[in-house]
Amino acid sequence: MRERILVIDDDSSITSALKRGLGYEGYLVDIASNGKEGLEIARQRAPDLVILDIMMPGMDGLEVCRRLRFSDSNLPIMMLTAKDAVSDQVLGLDSGADDYMVKPFAFEVLLARVRALLRRHEPETRDVLRYEDLSLDTASRVAKRGEREIELTTTEYELLQLLMRNPERVLTRDVIMEKVWGYDFDGNYNILEVYIRYLRNKLEEREERRLIQTVRGAGYILRNKE
């Protein structure tokens, strides 16, 4: 089945180029020129991935992202925008985006990121990973601390799964970026730091012990310090 991608951007040159390029790669592509139209299309024809601008008239991309994420916690969302400040990237990720790419961009790089995001939804063998009181069901993609269920987004799941498959082993930032996001981030680790914070907030919601530890100057490790 061909995957469906929804592109939401008020720049017609961007939407037409992506529709042509992604269509040539075999994807079904819907386009919308504003947030309201994009949400309506997403409701009518559920996309497998959304590429979303931030600066649009009316409803901006951050609000569109929040609404899409509220409707589907697993939907891959990529921000594609001219806003390149670190604070803008963090704000985009905090709104629910899985990836953040700055304009102007190389289509080949965007395509690689699209493939990486879509691969996360491929079926996998069922397994239950465990460490201390933390468990992760790879079929349902639900984590638990004891009996408390924790719902994860796609990226949160991929990051936690990597840590749980490598308990008590330091994973460098570069290794994590390659394994979870599927490409080299050229030393820009903002997206990783944001998602580590997301995971910690969820895993420690009831003041449980911290299991995801920072190894200063190296990366992260799943370890019970006690």
Side-chain angles (χ1 to χ4, degrees):
M1 184 179 296
R2 297 168 66 189
E3 286 128 326
R4 182 177 295 276
I5 296 175
L6 171 59
V7 180
I8 308 174
D9 196 314
D10 64 329
D11 186 336
S12 60
S13 65
I14 294 289
T15 54
S16 61
L18 289 181
K19 185 177 180 65
R20 182 174 61 253
L22 292 169
Y24 181 79
E25 294 295 327
Y27 298 106
L28 298 172
V29 184
D30 292 319
I31 61 174
S33 60
N34 59 67
K36 184 177 180 181
E37 180 185 6
L39 289 174
E40 181 61 23
I41 291 174
R43 187 186 67 80
Q44 295 175 356
R45 295 185 297 277
D48 297 296
L49 180 144
V50 174
I51 298 174
L52 175 66
D53 188 19
I54 291 180
M55 297 180 290
M56 294 185 292
M59 187 186 304
D60 69 16
L62 297 176
E63 179 60 26
V64 175
C65 184
R66 293 186 191 100
R67 296 191 184 195
L68 289 169
R69 179 59 67 225
F70 180 79
S71 299
D72 185 351
S73 63
N74 291 317
L75 175 65
I77 301 173
M78 177 193 295
M79 290 286 191
L80 181 63
T81 175
K83 297 173 75 67
D84 61 355
V86 170
S87 58
D88 291 321
Q89 295 179 46
V90 172
L91 187 58
L93 297 170
D94 277 343
S95 298
D98 296 291
D99 199 355
Y100 193 104
M101 191 168 181
V102 176
K103 301 174 183 175
F105 60 94
F107 178 74
E108 293 80 5
V109 176
L110 179 139
L111 187 60
R113 295 188 178 192
V114 164
R115 288 195 296 261
L117 287 172
L118 289 172
R119 275 198 301 271
R120 300 179 190 177
H121 285 264
E122 294 175 355
E124 58 184 302
T125 303
R126 180 161 194 163
D127 194 7
V128 179
L129 308 176
R130 302 183 189 278
Y131 183 81
E132 297 290 333
D133 64 340
L134 176 63
S135 64
L136 179 65
D137 188 320
T138 60
S140 65
R141 300 194 168 208
V142 172
K144 288 185 178 181
R145 285 299 297 260
E147 295 301 315
R148 179 172 69 88
E149 288 195 359
I150 304 168
E151 184 176 341
L152 303 171
T153 66
T154 298
T155 302
E156 290 166 352
Y157 165 79
E158 294 292 336
L159 179 53
L160 183 58
Q161 179 188 213
L162 177 62
L163 290 165
M164 292 191 71
R165 290 194 184 278
N166 297 274
E168 301 186 1
R169 174 185 173 190
V170 176
L171 298 176
T172 67
R173 291 174 173 84
D174 288 335
V175 165
I176 295 173
M177 296 304 302
E178 179 184 351
K179 297 293 186 181
V180 175
W181 281 271
Y183 49 82
D184 183 4
F185 239 59
D186 297 326
N188 184 349
Y189 301 119
N190 299 319
I191 189 171
L192 173 56
E193 293 167 0
V194 168
Y195 273 93
I196 288 290
R197 174 163 54 86
Y198 286 164
L199 271 181
R200 283 173 171 164
N201 288 343
K202 288 188 175 184
L203 298 182
E204 302 166 19
E205 183 179 324
R206 297 184 183 175
E207 300 184 355
E208 292 96 338
R209 292 191 311 276
R210 174 157 294 181
L211 294 179
I212 300 176
Q213 314 292 346
T214 301
V215 181
R216 194 173 302 277
Y220 298 94
I221 184 172
L222 187 69
R223 180 176 64 197
N224 180 3
K225 279 190 173 181
E226 301 178 359

